[in-house]
Amino acid sequence: MRNKYTYVWVSLVILVFGIIFIPKIIERIKKGTITQHDRMNLAGNDETLGFIYLNNEKRKVPDFAFLNQDSLLISQKDYEGKVYIVEFFFTTCPSICPVMNSNLVEIQEEFRDFDDFGVASFTINPEYDTPRILKEYAEKYGINDMDWHLMTGDRQEIYDLANIG
């Protein structure tokens, strides 16, 4: 039961982040000021960002390989060189997931022309969320960007990705 509430809180945090910060980020991209004051430009550093710091440790999404809504095997290599959002959801979620994915569809539309942007959505109910179910969900919500993959696979591997990553 504890894990169930953890995922609800994680989803809520992502939703709040999206509501507050995504419009500001989109505005900066449209104005061309997104990198004007980032920490890499200020430091004069040309190193590309392949990780983030969390508690003074370099962190990034761990390696993964899962089937997407088109039954294609997708891994972290498909996202190399891209900025991407990682989310955990399930298709039968009655509350926050539809809101979260509707917001992500808006982001999909704003970033459609950017080849270096993607979304990686992992179901936390892989027993039900087969590639066919994920495909239907994608069609229902208008998820149609080639770099947005709704993925399913081994339940424990997905949970490990969520909890360890």
Side-chain angles (χ1 to χ4, degrees), residues 35 43 67 75 79 102-104 119 136-137 145 151-152 155 162:
T35 59
L67 290 178
S75 75
Y79 291 97
S102 293
N103 288 337
L104 283 174
V119 180
E136 292 170 3
Y137 187 87
D145 190 291
M151 292 175 269
T152 189
R155 182 178 190 261

Side-chain angles (χ1 to χ4, degrees), residues 102-133:
S102 293
N103 288 337
L104 283 174
V105 166
E106 288 182 34
I107 293 169
Q108 165 191 263
E109 297 309 316
E110 288 291 331
F111 288 91
R112 184 169 297 284
D113 296 331
F114 290 79
D115 293 333
D116 56 355
F117 177 78
V119 180
S121 299
F122 301 93
T123 179
I124 59 169
N125 185 10
E127 293 81 13
Y128 178 79
D129 290 340
T130 62
R132 183 182 61 81
I133 296 293

Side-chain angles (χ1 to χ4, degrees), residues 4 88-94 97-98 101 122-125 129 137:
K4 186 177 189 180
F88 295 87
F89 80 109
F90 57 107
T91 62
T92 56
C93 170
C97 301
N101 282 314
F122 301 93
T123 179
I124 59 169
N125 185 10
D129 290 340
Y137 187 87

